[in-house]
Amino acid sequence: MRVDRFLSNLPRFNRKQVRLLLVEKRVRVDGEVVSDPHAEVLEFSRVEVDDEVLQVGKPARYFMLYKPPGCVSATRDPQHPTVLDLIDEPDKDDLHIAGRLDFNTTGLMLITNDGSWSRRLTQPQTKLPKVYYVETEQDITAEYAITFAKGLYFAFEDLTTQPAELVVLGPKSARLSIVEGRYHQVKRMFGHFDNKVVRLHRERMGPLVLDDTLKPGEYRPLSSDEIRMI
Ligand code: URA
């Protein structure tokens, strides 16, 4: 929310007072003086006027987890273990998953309580590549890369997928880079050729690469450099 709106939503300030506070440089967000009424205030921001703290700001949390097979990318599931069951953090009810994976898909999963960060990561408009290692039942022919690069029509959503890059690694294995995350996208792309995906593993989301020191089921907090990359 804009800082001027944040302040004028408080019962104690009207709009005119808010304008003055900003002009007089009496407002600080995360320790920095703010005079632009458009400056953003997040739930994580510390907001002060003079020496008074108006919002403490809750800590923003970011984790990378190596999703094992046989677990659901959801916060709760009545039948199966979930990705969140693997996380042992005090504030885990606030966390959500940025970009789900299917039950048996493995690999990089990013978990956060920061909605604008996870939107940047998953929105197709930001065009961050999601890179998957894929193994299939049948051979992967040269035609696949051409078709994926052109985009495939998905009748259910009535859309054509954005160009995707396929690098064939072996007769039945490949690395696929897609910028969207449509429902079962990778399986449906190979399904176009009646080729079943038998192993799917996410290696990377944009600049964030699955840490090779993590074992399936393990997680670690992201570094501040990693958080800033998104
Ligand atoms: N595409 C799929 O089909 N499944 C996943 O888990 C991820 C991408």
Side-chain angles (χ1 to χ4, degrees):
M1 171 188 316
R2 289 166 49 149
V3 67
D4 58 349
R5 185 155 310 145
F6 172 88
L7 292 169
S8 51
N9 279 350
L10 301 173
R12 55 205 281 191
F13 302 126
N14 62 34
R15 284 173 184 221
K16 193 171 166 206
Q17 287 167 317
V18 168
R19 265 198 303 276
L20 267 175
L21 288 174
L22 288 165
V23 168
E24 290 168 356
K25 299 192 185 305
R26 291 166 60 194
V27 181
R28 267 174 298 143
V29 176
D30 293 332
E32 302 279 331
V33 171
V34 157
S35 50
D36 178 0
H38 296 89
E40 206 180 9
V41 170
L42 305 171
E43 60 202 304
F44 310 110
S45 314
R46 179 183 177 87
V47 184
E48 293 158 283
V49 168
D50 300 328
D51 286 330
E52 195 180 346
V53 180
L54 300 183
Q55 175 175 280
V56 183
K58 65 176 185 184
R61 319 274 264 139
Y62 309 87
F63 302 100
M64 102 164 28
L65 175 129
Y66 187 158
K67 180 190 174 295
C71 100
V72 184
S73 284
T75 42
R76 259 174 225 138
D77 188 274
Q79 279 178 336
H80 301 288
T82 72
V83 167
L84 263 286
D85 291 336
L86 299 166
I87 303 252
D88 182 21
E89 297 293 326
D91 51 1
K92 81 178 203 179
D93 284 348
D94 286 347
L95 299 174
H96 64 266
I97 296 156
R100 289 162 185 265
L101 293 175
D102 295 339
F103 188 63
N104 277 323
T105 304
T106 57
L108 177 63
M109 181 135 261
L110 295 165
I111 296 169
T112 180
N113 61 355
D114 182 347
S116 31
W117 188 86
S118 59
R119 266 191 297 284
R120 283 201 297 283
L121 192 77
T122 52
Q123 268 169 354
Q125 298 91 297
T126 43
K127 293 202 191 296
L128 282 182
K130 284 82 185 173
V131 181
Y132 293 87
Y133 169 76
V134 190
E135 284 177 8
T136 55
E137 211 164 64
Q138 316 292 330
D139 283 1
I140 302 166
T141 64
E143 198 191 340
Y144 285 45
I146 300 163
T147 306
F148 292 173
K150 281 192 198 139
L152 270 174
Y153 180 65
F154 280 0
F156 184 72
E157 294 94 334
D158 187 26
L159 57 81
T160 300
T161 56
Q162 305 232 15
E165 196 187 310
L166 185 78
V167 176
V168 178
L169 303 172
K172 294 183 170 65
S173 62
R175 182 162 285 117
L176 177 68
S177 178
I178 56 176
V179 294
E180 305 147 285
R182 306 282 169 204
Y183 182 64
H184 294 327
Q185 180 162 345
V186 176
K187 290 176 185 161
R188 288 162 78 195
M189 289 171 76
F190 283 85
H192 172 80
F193 294 99
D194 283 328
N195 196 353
K196 190 173 170 199
V197 171
V198 293
R199 185 163 174 230
L200 188 55
H201 175 82
R202 184 157 63 197
E203 299 175 332
R204 188 155 77 78
M205 292 179 84
L208 300 175
V209 181
L210 180 63
D211 187 331
D212 60 9
T213 65
L214 290 178
K215 296 192 191 66
E218 290 182 346
Y219 72 98
R220 68 156 171 84
L222 294 187
S223 68
S224 35
D225 281 348
E226 287 173 325
I227 298 163
R228 263 196 303 273
M229 282 175 178
I230 302 299

